Amino acid sequence: AQSVTQLDSQVPVFEEAPVELRCNYSSSVSVYLFWYVQYPNQGLQLLLKYLSGSTLVKGINGFEAEFNKSQTSFHLRKPSVHISDTAEYFCAVSNTGGFKTIFGAGTRLFVKA
Amino acid sequence: IAGITQAPTSQILAAGRRMTLRCTQDMRHNAMYWYRQDLGLGLRLIHYSNTAGTTGKGEVPDGYSVSRANTDDFPLTLASAVPSQTSVYFCASGEHSTDTQYFGPGTRLTVL
């Protein structure tokens, strides 16, 4: 069975500071990994995904994530955050072609001026 | 292109009533999903459909049913609503090749 753990429920950070949102997963098979973002009162939208190839994945809005197979992690990073990045971020994992995606509980990023 | 639409946006419902949440996509995706989102629990899969005419149970299917008569529509029905079904419900459609999902704006349901 697969599972996803987002290690921080809330991350407060000042504007223009770097941020890392942590995600660990467990799976006995090959996986696809995702980060989704949810702005207030909206649905989720894809931020970035890892399917195969380069372990460093770049997404929208200046975010990037690195797949680390040995540590079963897929942490999300941004070198300089903006107020507009305030949102909830979800890490997700699926077994390749399995049609079921498991989502983490979410990390609320709060960017302060 | 609208992507995925959900209706209603929000609803207050008396316990014991029947309710159908509507979901329509225009991306011709084969896969569709229903999730519920509860504080601290993330998204939990209720039901899914890999293609028109087939459905499957997710993590929390009890009290819910779905149908998939065609590619575009995937309604979720609560036969007899209970207060524990108070939640925000998201419909999504997806690409089989990459498991990427596209979400609707959600329906906020309150069962009293």
Side-chain angles (χ1 to χ4, degrees):
Chain A
Q2 298 168 98
S3 67
V4 179
T5 302
Q6 292 185 241
L7 298 163
D8 306 292
S9 60
Q10 294 186 68
V11 175
V13 63
F14 285 104
E15 193 174 20
E16 299 184 6
V19 70
E20 178 179 81
L21 306 184
R22 297 178 293 168
C23 173
N24 286 94
Y25 70 93
S26 67
S27 177
S28 58
V29 298
S30 296
V31 296
Y32 292 155
L33 293 159
F34 306 84
W35 277 98
Y36 287 86
V37 60
Q38 183 181 31
Y39 298 104
N41 299 312
Q42 295 185 26
L44 280 71
Q45 55 184 279
L46 182 68
L47 199 57
L48 50 77
K49 60 187 176 186
Y50 170 80
L51 304 179
S52 65
S54 173
T55 57
L56 182 63
V57 180
K58 294 189 183 297
I60 61 172
N61 301 337
F63 283 93
E64 63 181 32
E66 185 156 19
F67 169 54
N68 187 318
K69 188 174 182 179
S70 63
Q71 296 185 7
T72 60
S73 68
F74 191 54
H75 300 333
L76 181 71
R77 302 185 183 97
K78 185 169 182 178
S80 175
V81 295
H82 302 291
I83 296 287
S84 59
D85 292 324
T86 294
E88 187 142 21
Y89 293 79
F90 292 92
C91 182
V93 60
S94 70
N95 56 320
T96 57
F99 312 130
K100 290 185 184 179
T101 300
I102 303 298
F103 288 83
T107 296
R108 185 170 298 276
L109 175 64
F110 179 60
V111 181
K112 302 178 286 186
Chain B
I1 296 178
I4 295 189
T5 57
Q6 291 185 238
T9 302
S10 65
Q11 181 75 45
I12 299 173
L13 189 66
R17 298 296 295 269
R18 180 184 180 89
M19 176 74 192
T20 295
L21 307 185
R22 299 185 298 280
C23 173
T24 300
Q25 56 121 347
D26 62 4
M27 295 176 283
R28 309 301 294 172
H29 289 153
N30 281 323
M32 295 189 75
Y33 310 85
W34 273 106
Y35 294 92
R36 59 178 290 172
Q37 183 179 27
D38 302 289
L39 192 63
L41 298 176
L43 276 77
R44 293 182 291 169
L45 183 65
I46 305 171
H47 285 287
Y48 66 93
S49 170
N50 290 336
T51 189
T54 69
T55 63
K57 293 181 179 180
E59 181 185 356
V60 289
D62 294 342
Y64 306 95
S65 63
V66 292
S67 62
R68 188 87 183 276
N70 57 60
T71 297
D72 297 343
D73 301 300
F74 191 44
L76 176 73
T77 297
L78 289 68
S80 178
V82 296
S84 61
Q85 292 177 312
T86 293
S87 187
V88 181
Y89 291 85
F90 288 99
C91 179
S93 69
E95 303 169 340
H96 280 174
S97 60
T98 64
D99 289 352
T100 302
Q101 296 187 25
Y102 300 84
F103 286 80
T107 293
R108 184 174 296 275
L109 181 67
T110 303
V111 182
L112 302 176

